[in-house]
Amino acid sequence: MSFHGLPCWYELASPDLDSVKGFYAGLLGWTWADSGMPGMTYLLAKADGDMVAGLFAPDPGMPVAWTNYTAVDDADATVAKAKGLGATIVVPPTDIPGTGRFSVLIDPQGAVFAILQPQPMADGTAGGAFNQQKSGHGNWHDLATPDTAAALAFYGALFGWAQTRAMPMGPDMVYTVINRDGQDIGGIFTEGSKGGAAKWTVYFGTPSVQAAMATVKATGGAVLHDPAEVPGGAFIIHCTDPSGAAFALVGPA
């Protein structure tokens, strides 16, 4: 079975490991453990029995941010293809013992993303970090970009993503839902003339957006807007954690 094109991992670069560990433990129910990776501190978050995210302190000049990983069949071939499509390689294909082979890139519109050629898990999957049925897991991903058509063409060629539908979201935005083999996994949009840097946002599932808002505010984070209803009856909020890293939450009100 091929997992190529499916979201598979989430990683946070943050200078304040203790603060954000406590923040996400309280917000998403994550438990943390050291990975034992030689030469660096890399912490692993678990939710409902699944490894869902990694945490490490960034090097000087590295942005404090979440990065989402997409599974690929062949990391080297995918990076070569991405480069041919106009991407920039930040971290070339590199082995992670016991995990797989990864690379970090910047797409032609300027958004950072990462890939992982995973070692298959014992249950034959690429891991459980992305699960739209579970809270505390990755549920959705969207890309704000200056050129939606170009982004759709790039990621479609690289990961096999297809377009499900395009939805007007006001006078200055069209939100295009993307899918992998019929499963909706995220969206891509351009915010009219507002511009801004291209950026992926990760959405984690929560059982209650209202309760999550209160937790974010009480534990050092910030909520950037009131809950917004999205198609399907769920609600979303965009937030920042105590270190300033942006993320979003999705779930029932």
Side-chain angles (χ1 to χ4, degrees):
M1 178 180 179
S2 173
F3 309 109
H4 189 91
L6 276 176
C8 66
W9 190 242
Y10 307 97
E11 189 173 76
L12 174 60
S14 173
D16 190 349
L17 302 186
D18 288 338
S19 177
V20 297
K21 277 172 55 182
F23 175 82
Y24 289 105
L27 179 63
L28 298 175
W30 290 354
T31 57
W32 293 94
D34 194 289
S35 67
M37 190 176 295
M40 70 177 294
T41 298
Y42 191 92
L43 304 175
L44 296 169
K46 182 179 282 189
D48 195 20
D50 298 317
M51 292 294 183
V52 292
L55 169 64
F56 69 98
D59 293 331
M62 183 183 295
V64 175
W66 278 100
T67 300
N68 50 297
Y69 281 70
T70 301
V72 298
D73 292 333
D74 185 323
D76 295 79
T78 300
V79 168
K81 186 170 187 176
K83 186 176 180 180
L85 292 167
T88 301
I89 302 168
V90 179
V91 179
T94 304
D95 287 328
I96 309 172
T99 300
R101 189 163 173 81
F102 85 103
S103 180
V104 180
L105 307 98
I106 301 173
D107 74 19
Q109 287 73 50
V112 175
F113 71 103
I115 62 166
L116 176 67
Q117 180 185 336
Q119 292 185 2
M121 307 295 287
D123 61 1
T125 72
F130 172 65
N131 190 323
Q132 293 174 316
Q133 307 306 314
K134 290 186 177 182
S135 298
H137 293 59
N139 275 204
W140 195 254
H141 324 77
D142 61 27
L143 172 64
T145 177
D147 190 336
T148 293
L152 288 166
F154 172 79
Y155 288 104
L158 198 63
F159 295 139
W161 292 348
Q163 302 175 40
T164 300
R165 59 192 178 279
M167 302 179 294
M169 304 286 283
D172 294 326
M173 184 195 298
V174 174
Y175 192 96
T176 302
V177 177
I178 51 177
N179 73 77
R180 188 271 194 186
D181 289 345
Q183 179 183 7
D184 291 344
I185 59 172
I188 298 177
F189 64 95
T190 302
E191 289 189 281
S193 60
K194 294 181 181 179
K199 180 184 178 183
W200 280 99
T201 297
V202 175
Y203 292 67
F204 296 109
T206 178
S208 169
V209 169
Q210 291 287 351
M213 284 181 64
T215 301
V216 169
K217 294 175 181 179
T219 53
V223 178
L224 305 183
H225 61 81
D226 291 334
E229 189 171 6
V230 293
F235 290 80
I236 62 170
I237 51 173
H238 289 76
C239 311
T240 55
D241 69 21
S243 67
F247 67 100
L249 298 170
V250 57

